[in-house]
Every structure is written in C-alpha cells, then in structure tokens.
C-alpha cells in the first residue's frame, strides 16, 4: 500500500511526544492497542517482546533457525539483509518437511517485521534479536507483538517531529489506516478527484478537513461485521509497551472517548526522558529483561490498569436531564 506522505506530515505536525497523542481542535487522540488488533490482527495480550539482542556466533544462529549459512556480505553487526531473505526463501520447496516449513516461516516473519511492522529508516536489514523470539514457533503467539509494534511506532513518531529528521520509520500502514478509519474526509476517494478539487486542497489533508472525526469507527454496523478478532480488555489499559530497548506508555486514560467513555482530566504524563536514552547502539550485550524489570512488572499487572469510566451514552443523558431541570 502506498503511503500518503502529505497525510503523514500533517499528522506529525500535531504529534506530542510527551503524551504520545495527536492534538486536534476537539481533543487528544492516538493509535491504541485496540487499533492494532483490529487493523493488523496482531495479538496484544501476552508477554513483552524482549530478551537477549546478541549471539555468540551469528552464522551458527542463522544456520540453526533458518537452515542455511548466509554469506558474510549480507551480515552487518547483528543484522541481516532483508533482500537476501527474500531471494533465499522465495519459494517453499516441494515435499518440504515440518522443519523446513518452520525455517521458511521464520524468514517470512522476519521480512514482515522489517518491511512493514517495525522497519528502520532503510527497511533493508532485520536484527537477529527477532529471530531469537521466533526460535519456538509454538510460543510465538504468546508474545504481545501488537504492543511491540505500537511502541516502535510511538518512538518513531517522537523522532519524526525533529527538524533534522529526514526519514520516518515505524508501521506507517497502521498510522495511515488509523487516520482513514477515523477521519473519513481524508480516506481514499471512490472516484478520482477532479483538477478543481485538487486545486481546492481536496487532494491532501488540510486543517479544515480534521473536523470530521469518528471516535469509535469499529462500532459501525458495516465495520463491526467485518471484524473477526476479539478485542481484549487490555486494549484500554494504561501501561508501558515494550520492544527490547524501547519503552513507551500506552496512555489510554488520555483518549477515553475512543473507548466510548467520558474523558476525565488525565494525570501528568510519565517522564521517560531517561528511558528514551536507551537504545541498541553499543548495548547489544545488555540484559533488557533485567534493565526494564520495573516496566515489565507494570505490564504484567495490566489487568488491574484497565481504564474505567462513565459510558458516553450515559453522560449525554445526564447532561440532557440537567439542562431540562435547569431550564437551559
């Protein structure tokens, strides 16, 4: 899917890194775990995606999990070139046994991670740390891949607002589909735009088009019958979301209207300046499980951190009764 760079740039102008939300005239909004599970179908309720990020022998690791030893030219540091994965694992051989099928599955998931879900600025190399999480395919779904994707997107948007940042990485498909679902006036047109419509500014998002916003697009009848995934309650939990060195806060308490609840005054956002200094550069041998143990403990307590509130329908009725009783 082509990425609309005008749309991404317009959204970046309204992104606030301290809250991980877009600031619109009608309030704050952002991509949540609910959007991830609906739009991407990834599991969001599970163990955090973290662990060791380095191996003793990278060639032996690839041979163990992919069945082949890559040439040294496609290896750089702890990463491997995605183009080599595409060419080497392009076609599953006939009569492949379960072990070979598992190797091709790992290669395919690695390609998805780097090209779509959690790409870097070049989308050319994928880190070996993801391959380690794919070693046992029977437990892969036990990880919260959705929260890992969202944490990387949050971090990428934080970097994207810097003036010197030329490229932006992260799951742009998630960001763009989120915008299309909620801001219907910027969704793809069924009919091509005329030259006059383009001249009037209808070919890309402008300020006047932000006003039509759907807080709950997935509850519409034509949409809800197409959704085939269960949305777990953790989708509205205020918790840290983690992907190896990356830690961000899923601030569901700032976008309660997206869950059909009345928006309360949110608390001050958590200051993550110190955590944001952590990345993989020069820290490949760090034990991220131990280093982020306090954040992982909060994530493991996610069931007790689900946002509660007054449903919007009840709020509207109370406001209406108040106006009738007061004569306003």
């Amino acid at each position: 899917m082509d990425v609309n760079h005008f749309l991404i740039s317009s959204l970046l102008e309204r992104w606030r890194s301290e809250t991980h939300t877009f600031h619109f005239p009608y309030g704050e909004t952002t991509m949540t775990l609910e959007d991830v599970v609906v739009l991407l179908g990834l599991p969001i309720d599970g163990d955090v995606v973290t662990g060791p990020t380095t191996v003793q022998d990278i060639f032996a690791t690839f041979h163990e999990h992919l069945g082949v030893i890559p040439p040294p030219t496609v290896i750089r540091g702890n990463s491997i070139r995605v183009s080599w994965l595409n060419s080497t694992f392009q076609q599953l051989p006939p009569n492949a046994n379960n072990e070979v099928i598992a190797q091709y599955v790992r290669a395919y998931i690695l390609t998805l991670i780097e090209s779509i879900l959690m790409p870097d600025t070049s989308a050319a190399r994928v880190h070996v740390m993801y391959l380690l999480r794919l070693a046992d395919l029977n437990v892969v779904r036990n990880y919260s891949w959705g929260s890992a994707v969202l944490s990387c997107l949050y971090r990428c948007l934080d970097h994207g607002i810097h003036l010197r940042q030329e490229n932006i990485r992260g799951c742009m498909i998630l960001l763009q589909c989120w915008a299309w679902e909620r801001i219907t006036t910027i969704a793809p047109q069924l009919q091509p735009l005329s030259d006059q419509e383009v001249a009037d500014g209808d070919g890309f998002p402008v300020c006047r088009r932000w006003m039509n916003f759907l807080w709950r697009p997935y509850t519409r009848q034509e949409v809800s019958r197409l959704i085939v995934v269960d949305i777990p309650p953790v989708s509205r939990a205020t918790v840290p979301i983690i992907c190896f060195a990356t830690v961000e806060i899923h601030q569901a308490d700032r976008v309660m209207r997206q869950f059909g609840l009345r928006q309360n005054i949110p608390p001050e956002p958590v200051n993550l300046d110190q955590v944001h200094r952590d990345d993989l550069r020069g820290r490949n041998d760090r034990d991220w499980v131990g280093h982020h143990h306090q954040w992982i403990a909060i994530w493991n307590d996610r069931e007790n951190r689900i946002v509660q509130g007054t449903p919007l329908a009840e709020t509207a009725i109370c406001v209406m009764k108040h106006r009738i009783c007061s004569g306003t």
Side-chain angles (χ1 to χ4, degrees):
M1 184 177 68
D2 292 334
V3 175
N4 187 326
H5 298 284
F6 295 109
L7 170 59
I8 302 301
S9 298
S10 297
L11 288 171
L12 276 175
E13 291 177 355
R14 295 181 175 272
W15 180 257
R16 297 296 179 268
S17 58
E18 66 275 12
T19 60
H20 295 135
T21 57
F22 299 105
H23 284 213
F24 290 119
Y26 36 74
E28 294 180 75
T29 179
T30 192
M31 297 77 57
T32 67
L33 291 173
E34 179 187 53
D35 298 295
V36 176
V37 71
V38 172
L39 297 175
L40 298 180
L42 293 174
I44 60 173
D45 194 4
D47 299 329
V48 296
V49 180
T50 190
T53 58
T54 187
V55 293
Q56 294 293 330
D57 188 338
I58 192 169
F59 294 97
T61 300
F62 280 113
H63 180 264
E64 177 183 359
H65 299 306
L66 297 180
V68 293
I69 299 178
T73 54
V74 303
I75 298 290
R76 187 173 67 187
N78 287 290
S79 64
I80 189 170
R81 188 176 292 277
V82 175
S83 59
W84 178 83
L85 289 173
N86 283 329
S87 59
T88 305
F89 297 91
Q90 189 172 32
Q91 183 65 44
L92 185 69
N95 303 321
N97 57 31
N98 290 337
E99 182 179 0
V100 174
I101 293 174
Q103 294 165 356
Y104 273 71
V105 167
R106 295 187 187 101
Y108 181 70
I109 296 177
L110 287 176
T111 303
L112 285 180
I113 288 175
E114 184 55 33
S115 60
I116 297 177
L117 299 178
M118 293 176 277
D120 58 17
T121 52
S122 65
R125 296 180 176 275
V126 61
H127 203 283
V128 70
M129 63 187 182
Y130 295 113
L131 180 59
L132 299 179
R133 298 301 95 200
L134 302 175
D136 185 356
L137 294 178
N138 294 317
V139 301
V140 166
R141 190 169 177 80
N142 295 339
Y143 292 108
S144 177
W145 291 101
S147 66
V149 170
L150 189 60
S151 67
C152 290
L153 179 57
Y154 281 175
R155 180 67 63 91
C156 293
L157 292 174
D158 290 347
H159 291 168
I161 63 177
H162 297 163
L163 292 177
R164 296 183 179 181
Q165 184 71 28
E166 297 181 356
N167 300 317
I168 182 172
R169 58 191 180 96
C171 189
M172 291 296 102
I173 288 180
L174 172 61
L175 175 58
Q176 183 161 291
C177 288
W178 172 87
W180 285 349
E181 289 292 337
R182 298 185 180 273
I183 312 171
T184 57
T185 51
I186 64 174
Q189 302 290 327
L190 295 179
Q191 299 294 332
L193 296 173
S194 65
D195 294 339
Q196 184 59 46
E197 288 175 323
V198 174
D200 291 340
D202 290 326
F204 55 90
V206 291
C207 291
R208 63 183 177 84
R209 306 188 72 183
W210 296 127
M211 300 308 295
N212 296 325
F213 190 86
L214 295 177
W215 290 101
R216 305 197 70 196
Y218 312 131
T219 60
R220 291 179 295 165
Q221 183 176 3
E222 66 274 18
V223 176
S224 60
R225 58 189 176 90
L226 298 176
I227 299 176
V228 296
V229 295
D230 294 327
I231 304 176
V234 70
S235 63
R236 51 187 176 91
T238 303
V239 287
I241 48 179
I242 302 165
C243 181
F244 292 98
T246 302
V247 176
E248 302 293 348
I249 302 297
H250 181 250
Q251 301 191 118
D253 55 349
R254 305 190 73 92
V255 292
M256 295 174 64
R257 283 180 288 182
Q258 293 183 209
F259 304 106
L261 303 175
R262 177 185 178 183
Q263 180 61 55
N264 300 324
I265 298 177
E268 288 292 321
V270 179
N271 189 319
L272 294 178
D273 290 345
Q274 182 62 39
V275 180
H276 286 170
R277 295 188 179 96
D278 289 334
D279 55 35
L280 295 178
R281 290 175 293 186
R283 302 180 179 92
N284 281 315
D285 57 346
R286 173 171 288 180
D287 175 19
W288 294 108
V289 177
H291 187 72
H292 289 153
H293 67 91
Q294 74 274 25
W295 302 112
I296 297 175
I298 297 175
W299 167 262
N300 291 336
D301 189 45
R302 57 192 177 277
E303 297 294 337
N304 297 319
R305 299 175 181 270
I306 297 173
V307 170
Q308 307 291 339
T310 305
L312 281 175
E314 295 182 14
T315 302
I317 293 175
C318 292
V319 171
M320 185 177 296
K321 287 182 178 179
H322 172 74
R323 289 179 175 177
I324 292 174
C325 295
S326 62
T328 59

